Every structure is written in C-alpha cells, then in structure tokens.
Amino acid sequence: MEYWDIYDINKKKTGRTMLRNDWHMQPGEYHLTVLALVRDMAGRTLITRRQLDKEWAAGKWEIPGGGVRAGETSEEAVLREVREETGLVFHTGEGRLIHTYRNDSPEEHNNYFVDIYEFTAPVTAADVRVQKEEVLDFRFARPDEVHRLGDAGDFLHYSHLEAFL
C-alpha cells in the first residue's frame, strides 16, 4: 500500500498520512502532486497520452507526474515519476520548481497542491521508454500543438501549464 503525507493549507506536513487515492480529506487537508515539463533542446515538451483503460481521464494528454509518497520531497517525487513513466533519469538540481498551485475540491474530498518542475536536456524520442500500463503514446510537442490540445479540452492541467509552454 502506498501512503501520501497530508499537508495543511500552508503546504506544511501535518505528520499524518493518507492511503493513496483515499478521498476522505477534510477541509484544510491536502496531498501533494508533482508535474514535469521535460523539454528537448528545440524547446519542445514531452507529452504523454494516458492509456484508454485508465479510470480517470482515459486517452487524455498530459505531462509526466504523480503523487508524492509519504516521506518523499517534492523533488524526489518528480525525479521518480519521470524515471518511472518515461525512463529518463534526471538528478537533484537538474530541474527547477517553476510554479505551485492549490486545488480545493470539498465535494470530492480531494484537495491538493501541485508543484510543476521544468527540465531541459538533450533528449530525443529514442531516449524515452514509457511505462506501457500507464502511457499509450508520447511525443515531443511544440507549444502550439499543446495549446491546440488544451483548447480542445484534451490536455490535463492545461490552464495551469499554459503560461509555461
């Protein structure tokens, strides 16, 4: 079983944990998620398409990321998520935190913070090894391509990423 730390409204750990995806959060309780904008040297962003059998947002495009496990830092989690989902290995300090936002969803009992990191490296499609059970497809996309997907409602977290594309 995977556990996540519970944070307060100031993004400070409370010392309590929750079972992953166990949406029974109280107002003022949050979990932490990370996203990674991985860019090649031409400025294109690595985007992935979710498998069609996913319970939530099947077939939608996104960038690598996921939940921060209990005891992990945000940076440790983003490095792990990128490695697990794409096979790309980055190290501490190679990415930078560019934005954090908070989402309150009391009706779903799912409140969270999202830390968005940016990595730029000489990577190509040949370097990417996607996690087949999670990812249907991937590509390096120009900003206008991501904007088209986002405007069509086919790109997750788009409203929070749009300014960084």
Side-chain angles (χ1 to χ4, degrees), residues 117-136:
Y117 287 81
E118 179 181 53
F119 297 85
T120 301
V123 294
T124 68
D127 300 318
V128 178
R129 302 283 181 268
V130 296
Q131 190 177 26
K132 296 288 186 195
E133 59 275 7
E134 299 287 329
V135 177
L136 176 65

Side-chain angles (χ1 to χ4, degrees), residues 52-156:
L52 299 177
D53 64 355
K54 299 296 282 181
E55 181 180 332
W56 180 78
K60 299 286 186 184
W61 288 90
E62 63 183 345
I63 59 174
V68 177
R69 294 176 180 163
E72 265 185 328
T73 66
S74 173
E75 185 178 29
E76 289 168 341
V78 77
L79 296 172
R80 175 184 50 76
E81 287 287 344
V82 169
R83 183 180 63 251
E84 288 174 0
E85 292 181 16
T86 70
L88 298 174
V89 177
F90 292 103
H91 299 76
T92 301
E94 290 183 329
R96 66 185 184 102
L97 179 64
I98 60 171
H99 184 62
T100 298
Y101 71 90
R102 186 184 87 211
N103 184 72
D104 291 87
S105 186
E107 62 281 348
E108 295 175 347
H109 302 281
N110 180 16
N111 307 319
Y112 54 88
F113 288 99
V114 178
D115 284 348
I116 303 171
Y117 287 81
E118 179 181 53
F119 297 85
T120 301
V123 294
T124 68
D127 300 318
V128 178
R129 302 283 181 268
V130 296
Q131 190 177 26
K132 296 288 186 195
E133 59 275 7
E134 299 287 329
V135 177
L136 176 65
D137 194 10
F138 77 93
R139 69 177 189 251
F140 284 91
R142 295 183 319 271
D144 63 301
E145 295 173 293
V146 179
H147 287 299
R148 272 197 302 279
L149 289 167
D151 291 342
D154 290 329
F155 202 91
L156 301 179

